[in-house]
Amino acid sequence: MQPTLDNELTDALQYTSLGRIRHDTRHHWWTHSPSRALDTAVTRLRIGHTRLNAHLHKLGMTADPHYPWCPTYPDTPEHLLLQCPRHHSHRTALLQSLSPLLLRRPTLADLLGGSPDPGLAFKILKHTRTFLHKSGQLHRI
C-alpha cells in the first residue's frame, strides 16, 4: 500500500501536542465558533503554540516559563485551564456547566474538543470558550 498524504499526516499527529487531541486530519466542524478570537485561542491551545510563558520560554522569547501569578508553576495551557487558583471562580462555573454532560474531571484534551463524539465535543468547546472569554486571558493565548 502506497503512503498517502492523509496517512502520513495522521501518523505525524501522534508526535505533536495536537496528537493528544486529534487522531486524524478530517475537518472537525465542531471546533468553529462565530468568534475568530476564540477560535484562534482554542486552535493555539490545541497545537501548543501560545503566548503563554512556557511556550515563549521554549522559543527563547522570555526568561521565565512560569505563570505571572503563580511563580512556581509553568505557564501552560493545563495550568491556565485546569489548575490556576487565579481563575478558580471561572473554572468552578466551567465544571458546573460540564457536569450535566457527565464530565466531572475533564482533561485538557476534553476541554479542547478531544471527544470522539462531535456533538459532545461541540458542547464542551462552547463552555471552554466561555471560560476563556470570562477569564480575560485571550490576549495571553
Side-chain angles (χ1 to χ4, degrees):
M1 181 171 138
Q2 183 122 18
T4 65
L5 179 60
D6 194 48
N7 287 342
E8 289 177 20
L9 286 173
T10 300
D11 292 343
L13 278 175
Q14 66 184 321
Y15 300 107
T16 67
S17 57
L18 184 59
R20 294 181 294 173
I21 299 165
R22 288 187 66 171
H23 304 287
D24 59 47
T25 56
R26 292 178 293 126
H27 173 70
H28 291 169
W29 61 267
W30 60 90
T31 62
H32 300 284
S33 76
S35 168
R36 175 142 169 79
L38 287 169
D39 277 352
T40 300
V42 168
T43 298
R44 286 179 178 169
L45 289 166
R46 293 179 91 207
I47 64 175
H49 293 275
T50 66
R51 294 182 204 131
L52 299 175
N53 285 343
H55 181 67
L56 295 178
H57 182 72
K58 285 181 186 177
L59 299 175
M61 297 174 71
T62 186
D64 188 6
H66 297 97
Y67 196 62
W69 299 280
C70 303
T72 58
Y73 291 97
D75 190 13
T76 63
E78 290 89 349
H79 182 75
L80 173 66
L81 292 170
L82 297 169
Q83 302 160 353
C84 185
R86 182 175 176 92
H87 306 296
H88 177 75
S89 62
H90 298 299
R91 185 176 314 98
T92 299
L94 172 64
L95 295 175
Q96 287 175 347
S97 67
L98 295 176
S99 65
L101 303 175
L102 302 176
L103 201 63
R104 294 176 192 250
R105 300 211 57 179
T107 64
L108 182 64
D110 293 331
L111 294 177
L112 298 177
S115 172
D117 175 356
L120 180 60
F122 178 78
K123 291 174 185 174
I124 294 169
L125 275 171
K126 179 180 173 186
H127 295 296
T128 302
R129 286 184 183 100
T130 299
F131 171 89
L132 292 172
H133 177 72
K134 289 187 175 186
S135 68
Q137 296 299 299
L138 283 178
H139 69 283
R140 297 187 64 244
I141 300 168

